Amino acid sequence: MPLLDGTLGIGDLARLTGVPVRTVRFYCDEGIVDSVRSTGGHRRFDPSAVERLCLVRRLRGLGLGLASIRNVLVGERSVAEVVAAERAALDVQLADMAWRRASLRAVEEAEPADRAARLELLAAVEGGGAARDALIDFWRRTMVAPVSEAMLSAFVTMAVPEPPADPTPPQVVAFAELVALTGDRVLTRGLLAMARANAELIADETELITGIREACALAKPRVQAGEAPRGGPELDRFVAVHAAVRGTTDTPRFRRRLLADVAADHDRGMRRYWHLVAEASGDPLTFGASHLWLTDSLERCVRGEDRAPARGGGRARVGEGPLMT
């Protein structure tokens, strides 16, 4: 191929871009930078190679791989797109490193007698994302009736905490304990039995989830204030939605039946689950805390124990709660 006037030698290109000659050769071999050969066999470059190579150098300086850079050079992706993808990948790596650091600290700070058990607990969870996936899979398996992805997503938002970007040692321990708790056969059997029973009774799950959300929102200020469970508009809304999706009305008899229907929500394992959700999320005012307050209120009313909350005592246990039915 004949040489064109104004072409640059490899040394000129290296000097103008700050890229070593050896690296320029590598980029040529990889097809990143185009060149032609002189009659003497030397590489020659069009002046446009200066801007192209400078762009390559800058993108490499940000840690981008050659595949991403090649996509930019051929116009398949913009600089903004490949930079965003690289940042997202880096976020994942940083989250993994933060999780590992917190896990190591959790083992390091454990009492000597508890260290082996703590190590075994944390070693079973690869990271925050893996822990969350395990919890989602648990709830998917315990929902007997087929539910839409929208319904599952709505439930997961309330029942499965998002792993924090920079977790504390107690948070990684809470996530690991949540995953371990999903292996509790007694808990799983109770949830499956309740799910089967409710699948035959509940006509509209969307209406149920919406109503329970509203009832929990009403109960949240009560939980935050530490008020003891009791009857009131919060419990009335909670019972009313359960009655509506079962095709009945709120009566004393229905409340007794509903208390039996949500018996699994009072299981010690479920109380522990919601307590761990609060620890893992760092938010004591979870959906579980409000739902527990409502089901405890239902139990008190059914058993005739409802009365005005005592001053200075009887605080609700914030951060604990039962499963939504």
Side-chain angles (χ1 to χ4, degrees), residues 31-92:
I32 300 296
V33 179
D34 297 326
S35 66
V36 296
R37 293 282 184 175
S38 67
T39 53
H42 299 292
R43 299 179 193 267
R44 306 293 298 183
F45 301 87
D46 186 270
S48 62
V50 174
E51 182 178 353
R52 184 182 182 91
L53 192 54
C54 283
L55 175 60
V56 172
R57 176 174 58 80
R58 292 167 187 145
L59 293 176
R60 287 291 289 167
L62 291 176
L64 271 70
L66 291 183
S68 296
I69 293 174
R70 187 177 287 107
N71 288 337
V72 172
L73 296 176
V74 300
E76 291 183 359
R77 304 185 72 185
S78 68
V79 171
E81 288 173 332
V82 297
V83 168
E86 186 69 19
R87 178 197 51 75
L90 185 59
D91 285 344
V92 172

Side-chain angles (χ1 to χ4, degrees), residues 194 198 201-205 207-216 234-251 254-263 265 287 291 294-295 298 322-325:
M194 186 173 67
N198 287 337
L201 297 171
I202 297 171
D204 189 333
E205 290 183 334
E207 181 182 350
L208 177 64
I209 252 192
T210 301
I212 289 179
R213 277 179 167 173
E214 292 172 356
C216 286
E234 305 86 7
L235 179 59
D236 291 344
R237 179 69 184 108
F238 179 74
V239 175
V241 68
H242 276 283
V245 298
R246 288 167 171 80
T248 186
T249 57
D250 181 1
T251 65
F254 174 75
R255 290 195 175 203
R256 289 193 296 272
R257 193 179 81 185
L258 179 60
L259 182 61
D261 288 346
V262 300
D265 290 351
F287 162 81
H291 196 272
L294 290 167
T295 54
L298 175 63
L323 171 68
M324 180 191 65
T325 58

